[in-house]
Amino acid sequence: MAKVAMQTLSTQTRNFEAARQVAIVVGASLFVALCARITIPLPGTPVPLTVQNFGVLLVGLMLGSKRGFAALALYLAEGAMGMPVFNPTGVGGIAQLMGATGGFLLAYPLVALLAGYVMEHGRKNFARAALGGFLGEAVLFTGGLAWLAVLTHSVAQAFRWGLYWFLFAEVIKVMMAAGITAQWQRRRGASQ
């Protein structure tokens, strides 16, 4: 009788943990969608300035590589299905994934994966989080600029539309995400 009770308890615990992990991933994808709502269209470029990238970095740094990747893959699936999760200045759906911001959007799962991976492998401090954030940004801009270069047939135009306007803001986003993550890790470590 005790053995059956222990097995039932173990199964319930596993089910609860699985549901908890799913809820975290879904919540993270919705957090990025909320961040996408904060958008500033810029003159001379079809790529707007958004807080979305901050959300992607924070999700990757806080949740780690696997859950961060899963959350951003879910985010892209939500957007591709037509849910209003992408920035509101775009057309939405698959068309937005094929548009000027598509390279950035499609890089999001890899950004979260890399930022999370860096954070998982070493001391969980500000420097590690900032390193993960900057490496993630390198992946983000590689994907985004490559796609813009394909669309415009010009590397120079891709850089004008997708890089120069954003450098300062991206440094701030990385520093904020790293600061929040480092503070959270410190508090988490102190409570354990």
Side-chain angles (χ1 to χ4, degrees):
M1 181 76 158
K3 185 175 180 180
V4 171
M6 291 301 290
Q7 288 174 339
T8 301
L9 184 59
S10 176
T11 300
Q12 288 175 342
T13 303
R14 278 195 309 264
N15 289 343
F16 175 77
E17 184 57 27
R20 184 176 156 294
Q21 295 302 324
V22 168
I24 288 170
V25 167
V26 170
S29 75
L30 296 177
F31 172 71
V32 174
L34 286 174
C35 289
R37 294 311 208 196
I38 305 169
T39 299
I40 301 170
L42 298 173
T45 177
V47 180
L49 181 63
T50 73
V51 180
Q52 203 171 4
N53 300 351
F54 164 76
V56 171
L57 290 173
L58 194 59
V59 164
L61 291 170
M62 300 272 285
L63 297 186
S65 59
K66 292 175 185 170
R67 290 184 303 174
F69 181 89
L72 274 301
L74 176 61
Y75 173 77
L76 292 180
E78 292 164 349
M81 289 186 294
M83 293 175 68
V85 297
F86 297 145
N87 80 65
T89 62
V91 295
I94 295 284
Q96 194 151 347
L97 291 173
M98 297 294 116
T101 60
F104 295 100
L105 290 168
L106 292 171
Y108 281 171
L110 298 177
V111 171
L113 176 86
L114 180 59
Y117 181 83
V118 170
M119 196 63 188
E120 291 166 348
H121 292 86
R123 291 188 60 218
K124 294 175 178 19
N125 57 20
F126 178 82
R128 169 88 35 196
L131 175 63
F134 281 117
L135 291 174
E137 287 286 310
V139 169
L140 177 68
F141 279 90
T142 299
L145 294 173
W147 183 248
L148 281 172
V150 167
L151 289 179
T152 63
H153 305 290
S154 167
V155 171
Q157 184 66 28
F159 275 66
R160 279 192 296 276
W161 279 4
L163 180 65
Y164 302 135
W165 289 92
F166 305 97
L167 289 174
F168 181 71
E170 295 306 313
V171 170
I172 292 171
K173 291 175 197 177
V174 168
M175 294 293 117
M176 285 179 56
I180 291 168
T181 302
Q183 183 67 24
W184 182 72
Q185 290 292 344
R186 258 193 308 280
R187 286 188 178 167
R188 190 171 157 210
S191 68
Q192 290 179 351

